[in-house]
Amino acid sequence: VAREKLKLKADSFVITVGASWLPMMAASFAFRRQIELVDTYRSILKVLKRLEETNRIEVIIKLHPKSSYTGSFSDEKKYLEVMAKDLGVSVALITDQDLPDVLAATDLLVCTGLSSVLWDAAAASIPGIRYLQPGYVRENFHQGLLQTKNPFFNANCAHYVFSENELLEKVQHYLDEKNYIACQKRIETTRKKFKVEDQLVEEKCERICEWVKSYLTNKAANAQTDSV
């Protein structure tokens, strides 16, 4: 149903490229990260071009929903369309909305940064790959410890890659049906072990907000009772 809605082929292997949001901090930070993000998109699309030549894949680029809120979506979309055309890559859809439908249609997720959509994918038993921009690794991580930071990575359900060759190798790994099914089983086992609920991040945030609202309401009511 989701593939039909998004006008995707029923028998294709859908790879979604998920973008993280780059917060506007110091101008030099934003400028450097934007350049790195463009290079990361180019590297991912170059790999997908090589895969399109021998595999029945379709590509979705899922931009961060803040793109629409800030008014940058149309410019980002046009830029990526031109980049994909220059590289000879066929991109089926570029959107910053419809996350439930996009995930329902996705077979494999590739994130450009620390996007939380990776956890949405894991909750839906979709293998994930983080292709981190150099700045993230340089400023925030010790590469040798990356795989131990989260149970999904530790259980080999999701992966960090740092080069086009690593990304190509990992995607090719999941194009093999046996490897793909084995990963889905590992994800399901990990979800049960750590009691990961099948909810989108947006739904979890709404639930947390409701819990905080209820907590504050009860706290205020108890305070009034104590004052009486």
Side-chain angles (χ1 to χ4, degrees):
V1 177
R3 292 197 177 193
E4 183 179 353
K5 182 178 179 180
L6 299 176
K7 299 181 180 179
L8 301 170
K9 298 181 180 69
D11 59 346
S12 63
F13 188 91
V14 177
I15 300 175
T16 294
V17 181
S20 56
W21 181 250
L22 295 181
M24 294 303 293
M25 299 173 70
S28 59
F29 173 92
F31 184 70
R32 184 175 71 251
R33 283 293 176 81
Q34 290 287 359
I35 292 174
E36 289 185 349
L37 182 58
V38 169
D39 288 340
T40 300
Y41 274 123
R42 184 174 289 109
S43 292
I44 293 172
L45 291 176
K46 284 168 63 178
V47 169
L48 296 180
K49 168 59 179 175
R50 294 171 64 181
L51 293 166
E52 280 184 342
E53 295 171 355
T54 55
N55 299 276
R56 191 175 179 80
I57 69 170
E58 288 188 285
V59 178
I60 296 174
I61 298 179
K62 173 62 175 72
L63 298 174
H64 196 282
K66 276 193 175 181
S67 296
S68 283
Y69 302 153
T70 60
S72 64
F73 173 72
S74 60
D75 288 338
E76 292 178 48
K77 183 174 182 288
K78 289 177 183 177
Y79 188 94
L80 290 168
E81 287 174 340
V82 171
M83 180 189 290
K85 183 178 180 180
D86 288 345
L87 293 171
V89 183
S90 177
V91 176
L93 176 67
I94 300 177
T95 182
D96 66 346
Q97 303 297 317
D98 306 316
L99 179 59
D101 288 326
V102 169
L103 283 181
T106 297
D107 293 302
L108 179 66
L109 178 72
V110 179
C111 290
T112 62
L114 301 181
S115 173
S116 61
V117 73
L118 190 74
W119 314 129
D120 294 326
S125 296
I126 300 169
I129 301 170
R130 284 204 194 283
Y131 190 177
L132 291 184
Q133 296 147 250
Y136 280 119
V137 180
R138 184 173 56 249
E139 298 167 18
N140 299 302
F141 295 102
H142 185 284
Q143 187 167 331
L145 299 178
L146 285 176
Q147 299 292 77
T148 67
K149 293 295 184 180
N150 181 279
F152 285 106
F153 286 96
N154 199 36
N156 204 28
C157 304
H159 316 271
Y160 288 100
V161 297
F162 303 94
S163 69
E164 291 178 24
N165 286 337
E166 288 182 7
L167 177 60
L168 177 64
E169 180 181 350
K170 192 58 66 177
V171 176
Q172 286 176 325
H173 175 82
Y174 285 118
L175 285 170
D176 185 311
E177 187 176 5
K178 291 182 180 179
N179 295 332
Y180 189 86
I181 293 173
C183 183
Q184 283 190 313
K185 290 180 179 178
R186 290 195 301 272
I187 295 175
E188 290 168 5
T189 299
T190 304
R191 286 174 55 195
K192 290 179 182 178
K193 180 179 179 180
F194 292 95
K195 299 180 180 179
V196 177
E197 297 182 13
D198 189 5
Q199 287 184 314
L200 295 177
V201 168
E202 289 92 337
E203 294 172 332
K204 292 179 181 178
C205 290
E206 289 177 3
R207 189 179 64 178
I208 292 171
C209 289
E210 287 299 321
W211 179 86
V212 171
K213 182 179 179 180
S214 176
Y215 170 80
L216 293 175
T217 300
N218 291 335
K219 185 177 180 180
N222 291 334
Q224 289 180 346
T225 301
D226 292 341
S227 64
V228 174

mmCIF file with all atom_site columns, all heavy atoms in Angstrom, residues 144-159:
data_model
loop_
_atom_site.group_PDB
_atom_site.id
_atom_site.type_symbol
_atom_site.label_atom_id
_atom_site.label_alt_id
_atom_site.label_comp_id
_atom_site.label_asym_id
_atom_site.label_entity_id
_atom_site.label_seq_id
_atom_site.pdbx_PDB_ins_code
_atom_site.Cartn_x
_atom_site.Cartn_y
_atom_site.Cartn_z
_atom_site.occupancy
_atom_site.B_iso_or_equiv
_atom_site.pdbx_formal_charge
_atom_site.auth_seq_id
_atom_site.auth_comp_id
_atom_site.auth_asym_id
_atom_site.auth_atom_id
_atom_site.pdbx_PDB_model_num
ATOM 1   N N   . GLY A 1 144 ? 36.930 3.639  17.168 1.00 0.00 ? 144 GLY A N   1
ATOM 2   C CA  . GLY A 1 144 ? 37.033 2.268  17.654 1.00 0.00 ? 144 GLY A CA  1
ATOM 3   C C   . GLY A 1 144 ? 35.920 1.877  18.616 1.00 0.00 ? 144 GLY A C   1
ATOM 4   O O   . GLY A 1 144 ? 35.688 0.692  18.859 1.00 0.00 ? 144 GLY A O   1
ATOM 5   N N   . LEU A 1 145 ? 35.225 2.850  19.186 1.00 0.00 ? 145 LEU A N   1
ATOM 6   C CA  . LEU A 1 145 ? 34.172 2.575  20.163 1.00 0.00 ? 145 LEU A CA  1
ATOM 7   C C   . LEU A 1 145 ? 32.764 2.714  19.588 1.00 0.00 ? 145 LEU A C   1
ATOM 8   O O   . LEU A 1 145 ? 31.784 2.448  20.274 1.00 0.00 ? 145 LEU A O   1
ATOM 9   C CB  . LEU A 1 145 ? 34.315 3.513  21.365 1.00 0.00 ? 145 LEU A CB  1
ATOM 10  C CG  . LEU A 1 145 ? 35.617 3.411  22.157 1.00 0.00 ? 145 LEU A CG  1
ATOM 11  C CD1 . LEU A 1 145 ? 35.616 4.450  23.272 1.00 0.00 ? 145 LEU A CD1 1
ATOM 12  C CD2 . LEU A 1 145 ? 35.799 2.016  22.728 1.00 0.00 ? 145 LEU A CD2 1
ATOM 13  N N   . LEU A 1 146 ? 32.659 3.123  18.324 1.00 0.00 ? 146 LEU A N   1
ATOM 14  C CA  . LEU A 1 146 ? 31.343 3.422  17.765 1.00 0.00 ? 146 LEU A CA  1
ATOM 15  C C   . LEU A 1 146 ? 30.385 2.244  17.854 1.00 0.00 ? 146 LEU A C   1
ATOM 16  O O   . LEU A 1 146 ? 29.216 2.403  18.177 1.00 0.00 ? 146 LEU A O   1
ATOM 17  C CB  . LEU A 1 146 ? 31.484 3.854  16.303 1.00 0.00 ? 146 LEU A CB  1
ATOM 18  C CG  . LEU A 1 146 ? 32.015 5.267  16.079 1.00 0.00 ? 146 LEU A CG  1
ATOM 19  C CD1 . LEU A 1 146 ? 32.185 5.528  14.589 1.00 0.00 ? 146 LEU A CD1 1
ATOM 20  C CD2 . LEU A 1 146 ? 31.105 6.311  16.681 1.00 0.00 ? 146 LEU A CD2 1
ATOM 21  N N   . GLN A 1 147 ? 30.853 1.041  17.560 1.00 0.00 ? 147 GLN A N   1
ATOM 22  C CA  . GLN A 1 147 ? 29.956 -0.106 17.502 1.00 0.00 ? 147 GLN A CA  1
ATOM 23  C C   . GLN A 1 147 ? 29.428 -0.523 18.869 1.00 0.00 ? 147 GLN A C   1
ATOM 24  O O   . GLN A 1 147 ? 28.519 -1.339 18.955 1.00 0.00 ? 147 GLN A O   1
ATOM 25  C CB  . GLN A 1 147 ? 30.658 -1.295 16.838 1.00 0.00 ? 147 GLN A CB  1
ATOM 26  C CG  . GLN A 1 147 ? 31.095 -1.049 15.396 1.00 0.00 ? 147 GLN A CG  1
ATOM 27  C CD  . GLN A 1 147 ? 29.934 -0.902 14.441 1.00 0.00 ? 147 GLN A CD  1
ATOM 28  O OE1 . GLN A 1 147 ? 29.289 0.143  14.408 1.00 0.00 ? 147 GLN A OE1 1
ATOM 29  N NE2 . GLN A 1 147 ? 29.657 -1.910 13.656 1.00 0.00 ? 147 GLN A NE2 1
ATOM 30  N N   . THR A 1 148 ? 29.979 -0.006 19.944 1.00 0.00 ? 148 THR A N   1
ATOM 31  C CA  . THR A 1 148 ? 29.546 -0.414 21.279 1.00 0.00 ? 148 THR A CA  1
ATOM 32  C C   . THR A 1 148 ? 28.607 0.598  21.930 1.00 0.00 ? 148 THR A C   1
ATOM 33  O O   . THR A 1 148 ? 28.208 0.408  23.070 1.00 0.00 ? 148 THR A O   1
ATOM 34  C CB  . THR A 1 148 ? 30.765 -0.614 22.205 1.00 0.00 ? 148 THR A CB  1
ATOM 35  O OG1 . THR A 1 148 ? 31.404 0.663  22.431 1.00 0.00 ? 148 THR A OG1 1
ATOM 36  C CG2 . THR A 1 148 ? 31.770 -1.567 21.586 1.00 0.00 ? 148 THR A CG2 1
ATOM 37  N N   . LYS A 1 149 ? 28.244 1.652  21.228 1.00 0.00 ? 149 LYS A N   1
ATOM 38  C CA  . LYS A 1 149 ? 27.456 2.719  21.835 1.00 0.00 ? 149 LYS A CA  1
ATOM 39  C C   . LYS A 1 149 ? 25.968 2.424  21.917 1.00 0.00 ? 149 LYS A C   1
ATOM 40  O O   . LYS A 1 149 ? 25.251 3.063  22.659 1.00 0.00 ? 149 LYS A O   1
ATOM 41  C CB  . LYS A 1 149 ? 27.668 4.026  21.058 1.00 0.00 ? 149 LYS A CB  1
ATOM 42  C CG  . LYS A 1 149 ? 29.076 4.591  21.165 1.00 0.00 ? 149 LYS A CG  1
ATOM 43  C CD  . LYS A 1 149 ? 29.404 5.002  22.583 1.00 0.00 ? 149 LYS A CD  1
ATOM 44  C CE  . LYS A 1 149 ? 30.762 5.650  22.644 1.00 0.00 ? 149 LYS A CE  1
ATOM 45  N NZ  . LYS A 1 149 ? 31.128 6.066  24.004 1.00 0.00 ? 149 LYS A NZ  1
ATOM 46  N N   . ASN A 1 150 ? 25.486 1.477  21.151 1.00 0.00 ? 150 ASN A N   1
ATOM 47  C CA  . ASN A 1 150 ? 24.057 1.209  21.098 1.00 0.00 ? 150 ASN A CA  1
ATOM 48  C C   . ASN A 1 150 ? 23.832 -0.282 20.856 1.00 0.00 ? 150 ASN A C   1
ATOM 49  O O   . ASN A 1 150 ? 24.586 -0.897 20.096 1.00 0.00 ? 150 ASN A O   1
ATOM 50  C CB  . ASN A 1 150 ? 23.436 2.029  19.970 1.00 0.00 ? 150 ASN A CB  1
ATOM 51  C CG  . ASN A 1 150 ? 21.942 1.842  19.860 1.00 0.00 ? 150 ASN A CG  1
ATOM 52  O OD1 . ASN A 1 150 ? 21.494 0.856  19.282 1.00 0.00 ? 150 ASN A OD1 1
ATOM 53  N ND2 . ASN A 1 150 ? 21.181 2.762  20.408 1.00 0.00 ? 150 ASN A ND2 1
ATOM 54  N N   . PRO A 1 151 ? 22.818 -0.869 21.507 1.00 0.00 ? 151 PRO A N   1
ATOM 55  C CA  . PRO A 1 151 ? 22.611 -2.316 21.344 1.00 0.00 ? 151 PRO A CA  1
ATOM 56  C C   . PRO A 1 151 ? 22.366 -2.759 19.907 1.00 0.00 ? 151 PRO A C   1
ATOM 57  O O   . PRO A 1 151 ? 22.747 -3.869 19.529 1.00 0.00 ? 151 PRO A O   1
ATOM 58  C CB  . PRO A 1 151 ? 21.389 -2.602 22.219 1.00 0.00 ? 151 PRO A CB  1
ATOM 59  C CG  . PRO A 1 151 ? 20.758 -1.269 22.486 1.00 0.00 ? 151 PRO A CG  1
ATOM 60  C CD  . PRO A 1 151 ? 21.876 -0.292 22.484 1.00 0.00 ? 151 PRO A CD  1
ATOM 61  N N   . PHE A 1 152 ? 21.722 -1.920 19.081 1.00 0.00 ? 152 PHE A N   1
ATOM 62  C CA  . PHE A 1 152 ? 21.477 -2.306 17.695 1.00 0.00 ? 152 PHE A CA  1
ATOM 63  C C   . PHE A 1 152 ? 22.782 -2.393 16.903 1.00 0.00 ? 152 PHE A C   1
ATOM 64  O O   . PHE A 1 152 ? 22.974 -3.278 16.085 1.00 0.00 ? 152 PHE A O   1
ATOM 65  C CB  . PHE A 1 152 ? 20.514 -1.335 17.014 1.00 0.00 ? 152 PHE A CB  1
ATOM 66  C CG  . PHE A 1 152 ? 19.088 -1.519 17.441 1.00 0.00 ? 152 PHE A CG  1
ATOM 67  C CD1 . PHE A 1 152 ? 18.469 -0.614 18.283 1.00 0.00 ? 152 PHE A CD1 1
ATOM 68  C CD2 . PHE A 1 152 ? 18.359 -2.626 17.015 1.00 0.00 ? 152 PHE A CD2 1
ATOM 69  C CE1 . PHE A 1 152 ? 17.152 -0.791 18.693 1.00 0.00 ? 152 PHE A CE1 1
ATOM 70  C CE2 . PHE A 1 152 ? 17.041 -2.813 17.412 1.00 0.00 ? 152 PHE A CE2 1
ATOM 71  C CZ  . PHE A 1 152 ? 16.439 -1.892 18.258 1.00 0.00 ? 152 PHE A CZ  1
ATOM 72  N N   . PHE A 1 153 ? 23.703 -1.466 17.177 1.00 0.00 ? 153 PHE A N   1
ATOM 73  C CA  . PHE A 1 153 ? 25.005 -1.540 16.524 1.00 0.00 ? 153 PHE A CA  1
ATOM 74  C C   . PHE A 1 153 ? 25.805 -2.707 17.080 1.00 0.00 ? 153 PHE A C   1
ATOM 75  O O   . PHE A 1 153 ? 26.466 -3.444 16.348 1.00 0.00 ? 153 PHE A O   1
ATOM 76  C CB  . PHE A 1 153 ? 25.774 -0.233 16.731 1.00 0.00 ? 153 PHE A CB  1
ATOM 77  C CG  . PHE A 1 153 ? 25.260 0.905  15.907 1.00 0.00 ? 153 PHE A CG  1
ATOM 78  C CD1 . PHE A 1 153 ? 24.369 1.817  16.442 1.00 0.00 ? 153 PHE A CD1 1
ATOM 79  C CD2 . PHE A 1 153 ? 25.657 1.064  14.590 1.00 0.00 ? 153 PHE A CD2 1
ATOM 80  C CE1 . PHE A 1 153 ? 23.887 2.868  15.679 1.00 0.00 ? 153 PHE A CE1 1
ATOM 81  C CE2 . PHE A 1 153 ? 25.183 2.115  13.822 1.00 0.00 ? 153 PHE A CE2 1
ATOM 82  C CZ  . PHE A 1 153 ? 24.299 3.023  14.368 1.00 0.00 ? 153 PHE A CZ  1
ATOM 83  N N   . ASN A 1 154 ? 25.735 -2.875 18.392 1.00 0.00 ? 154 ASN A N   1
ATOM 84  C CA  . ASN A 1 154 ? 26.489 -3.942 19.036 1.00 0.00 ? 154 ASN A CA  1
ATOM 85  C C   . ASN A 1 154 ? 26.032 -5.318 18.571 1.00 0.00 ? 154 ASN A C   1
ATOM 86  O O   . ASN A 1 154 ? 26.828 -6.266 18.513 1.00 0.00 ? 154 ASN A O   1
ATOM 87  C CB  . ASN A 1 154 ? 26.342 -3.830 20.554 1.00 0.00 ? 154 ASN A CB  1
ATOM 88  C CG  . ASN A 1 154 ? 27.421 -4.566 21.299 1.00 0.00 ? 154 ASN A CG  1
ATOM 89  O OD1 . ASN A 1 154 ? 28.573 -4.596 20.864 1.00 0.00 ? 154 ASN A OD1 1
ATOM 90  N ND2 . ASN A 1 154 ? 27.064 -5.153 22.417 1.00 0.00 ? 154 ASN A ND2 1
ATOM 91  N N   . ALA A 1 155 ? 24.742 -5.453 18.228 1.00 0.00 ? 155 ALA A N   1
ATOM 92  C CA  . ALA A 1 155 ? 24.189 -6.729 17.772 1.00 0.00 ? 155 ALA A CA  1
ATOM 93  C C   . ALA A 1 155 ? 24.278 -6.889 16.252 1.00 0.00 ? 155 ALA A C   1
ATOM 94  O O   . ALA A 1 155 ? 23.691 -7.806 15.689 1.00 0.00 ? 155 ALA A O   1
ATOM 95  C CB  . ALA A 1 155 ? 22.731 -6.854 18.217 1.00 0.00 ? 155 ALA A CB  1
ATOM 96  N N   . ASN A 1 156 ? 25.012 -5.977 15.613 1.00 0.00 ? 156 ASN A N   1
ATOM 97  C CA  . ASN A 1 156 ? 25.222 -6.054 14.159 1.00 0.00 ? 156 ASN A CA  1
ATOM 98  C C   . ASN A 1 156 ? 23.913 -5.898 13.387 1.00 0.00 ? 156 ASN A C   1
ATOM 99  O O   . ASN A 1 156 ? 23.718 -6.505 12.332 1.00 0.00 ? 156 ASN A O   1
ATOM 100 C CB  . ASN A 1 156 ? 25.895 -7.381 13.783 1.00 0.00 ? 156 ASN A CB  1
ATOM 101 C CG  . ASN A 1 156 ? 26.647 -7.292 12.469 1.00 0.00 ? 156 ASN A CG  1
ATOM 102 O OD1 . ASN A 1 156 ? 27.117 -6.225 12.086 1.00 0.00 ? 156 ASN A OD1 1
ATOM 103 N ND2 . ASN A 1 156 ? 26.750 -8.410 11.775 1.00 0.00 ? 156 ASN A ND2 1
ATOM 104 N N   . CYS A 1 157 ? 23.028 -5.052 13.916 1.00 0.00 ? 157 CYS A N   1
ATOM 105 C CA  . CYS A 1 157 ? 21.759 -4.755 13.241 1.00 0.00 ? 157 CYS A CA  1
ATOM 106 C C   . CYS A 1 157 ? 21.847 -3.445 12.458 1.00 0.00 ? 157 CYS A C   1
ATOM 107 O O   . CYS A 1 157 ? 21.070 -3.209 11.535 1.00 0.00 ? 157 CYS A O   1
ATOM 108 C CB  . CYS A 1 157 ? 20.630 -4.629 14.253 1.00 0.00 ? 157 CYS A CB  1
ATOM 109 S SG  . CYS A 1 157 ? 20.409 -6.063 15.313 1.00 0.00 ? 157 CYS A SG  1
ATOM 110 N N   . ALA A 1 158 ? 22.766 -2.591 12.866 1.00 0.00 ? 158 ALA A N   1
ATOM 111 C CA  . ALA A 1 158 ? 23.008 -1.316 12.199 1.00 0.00 ? 158 ALA A CA  1
ATOM 112 C C   . ALA A 1 158 ? 24.519 -1.106 12.178 1.00 0.00 ? 158 ALA A C   1
ATOM 113 O O   . ALA A 1 158 ? 25.248 -1.699 12.975 1.00 0.00 ? 158 ALA A O   1
ATOM 114 C CB  . ALA A 1 158 ? 22.305 -0.181 12.928 1.00 0.00 ? 158 ALA A CB  1
ATOM 115 N N   . HIS A 1 159 ? 24.982 -0.231 11.278 1.00 0.00 ? 159 HIS A N   1
ATOM 116 C CA  . HIS A 1 159 ? 26.417 -0.158 11.050 1.00 0.00 ? 159 HIS A CA  1
ATOM 117 C C   . HIS A 1 159 ? 26.862 1.265  10.753 1.00 0.00 ? 159 HIS A C   1
ATOM 118 O O   . HIS A 1 159 ? 26.125 2.043  10.167 1.00 0.00 ? 159 HIS A O   1
ATOM 119 C CB  . HIS A 1 159 ? 26.816 -1.039 9.852  1.00 0.00 ? 159 HIS A CB  1
ATOM 120 C CG  . HIS A 1 159 ? 26.156 -2.376 9.847  1.00 0.00 ? 159 HIS A CG  1
ATOM 121 N ND1 . HIS A 1 159 ? 26.704 -3.482 10.474 1.00 0.00 ? 159 HIS A ND1 1
ATOM 122 C CD2 . HIS A 1 159 ? 24.982 -2.791 9.319  1.00 0.00 ? 159 HIS A CD2 1
ATOM 123 C CE1 . HIS A 1 159 ? 25.896 -4.512 10.306 1.00 0.00 ? 159 HIS A CE1 1
ATOM 124 N NE2 . HIS A 1 159 ? 24.838 -4.118 9.626  1.00 0.00 ? 159 HIS A NE2 1
#
